[in-house]
Amino acid sequence: MIKMIAAMDERRAIWKNWKIPWHIEEDLERFRQLITGQTIIMWRWTFESLKHYYPDVHWHPLASINIILSKTLEISWVEIYKTLEEIIKKYPDIIIIWWWKTYETFLPFADELDLTKISRSYNWDSFFPKYEEIFKKDNDVKRNNIVFERWIRK
């Protein structure tokens, strides 16, 4: 199963200049619960940006396996693949996190989306792709100014 996790504002904006401007504890806790012990995939630029959030850690500390999608990066302490096909062959159950390019690339292959919707609009530069035509909402939970939604492929 390929799952994607994202948080976005009302316009599908997910960040600006590699930074997430909000700090919502319920969203962070849900993110931790969803990725702990799982195999996660991130694009090289996501991996590079994690230094901002985890300066002393070279990979996402909660995941059991961290996979980087890159054609140029070479690091010995994480698994790096050049194509989605290589990753899926070895890991059929994966979670995709962070960057718009990763979401755009993997969306046609995703089975499930776990989304956090923030009741606010930001002036950002990266957006989550449209998904409503190929996914249907399975459930949602409202908390304060956010909604946690799970979408499954139609």
Side-chain angles (χ1 to χ4, degrees):
M1 174 188 291
I2 299 175
K3 181 188 289 194
M4 300 175 119
I5 300 173
M8 65 188 76
D9 76 356
E10 295 168 339
R11 299 177 316 116
R12 287 195 176 90
I14 55 176
W15 69 13
K16 183 173 185 174
N17 299 326
W18 295 99
K19 293 190 172 95
I20 300 171
W22 62 69
H23 181 90
I24 301 171
E25 195 55 44
E26 294 107 325
D27 177 49
L28 293 172
E29 181 57 34
R30 180 172 182 258
F31 181 74
R32 284 184 205 107
Q33 290 172 358
L34 290 169
I35 70 162
T36 298
Q38 303 298 316
T39 301
I40 63 169
I41 296 179
M42 61 192 104
W43 212 271
R44 175 195 178 166
W45 305 114
T46 302
F47 174 73
E48 296 289 340
S49 73
L50 285 175
K51 292 176 186 175
H52 172 76
Y53 295 97
Y54 302 100
D56 300 325
V57 178
H58 300 296
W59 61 88
H60 202 290
L62 299 174
S64 63
I65 300 171
N66 290 269
I67 297 171
I68 311 301
L69 189 60
S70 175
K71 294 185 179 178
T72 58
L73 189 66
E74 293 184 23
I75 298 174
S76 61
W77 38 264
V78 295
E79 292 188 43
I80 300 172
Y81 294 88
K82 294 182 175 160
T83 68
L84 171 63
E85 291 77 18
E86 291 177 285
I87 297 168
I88 293 173
K89 186 185 278 187
K90 186 168 182 184
Y91 298 102
D93 294 324
I94 54 177
I95 295 176
I96 314 301
I97 64 167
W98 256 24
W99 199 38
W100 70 268
K101 185 67 172 173
T102 315
Y103 294 133
E104 185 178 90
T105 301
F106 283 81
L107 190 65
F109 307 98
D111 301 300
E112 187 175 299
L113 309 175
D114 275 304
L115 306 176
T116 300
K117 302 272 186 82
I118 305 202
S119 300
R120 195 167 166 194
S121 276
Y122 294 87
N123 184 23
W124 293 356
D125 57 10
S126 296
F127 298 87
F128 196 85
K130 293 184 178 182
Y131 55 90
E132 291 88 350
E133 290 185 15
I134 57 175
F135 289 87
K136 63 180 177 182
K137 192 186 302 185
D138 185 44
N139 69 9
D140 62 17
V141 175
K142 295 176 174 121
R143 292 202 181 133
N144 300 322
N145 292 328
I146 60 175
V147 179
F148 300 130
E149 297 179 348
R150 175 163 290 134
W151 293 72
I152 55 174
R153 184 168 289 282
K154 290 182 181 177

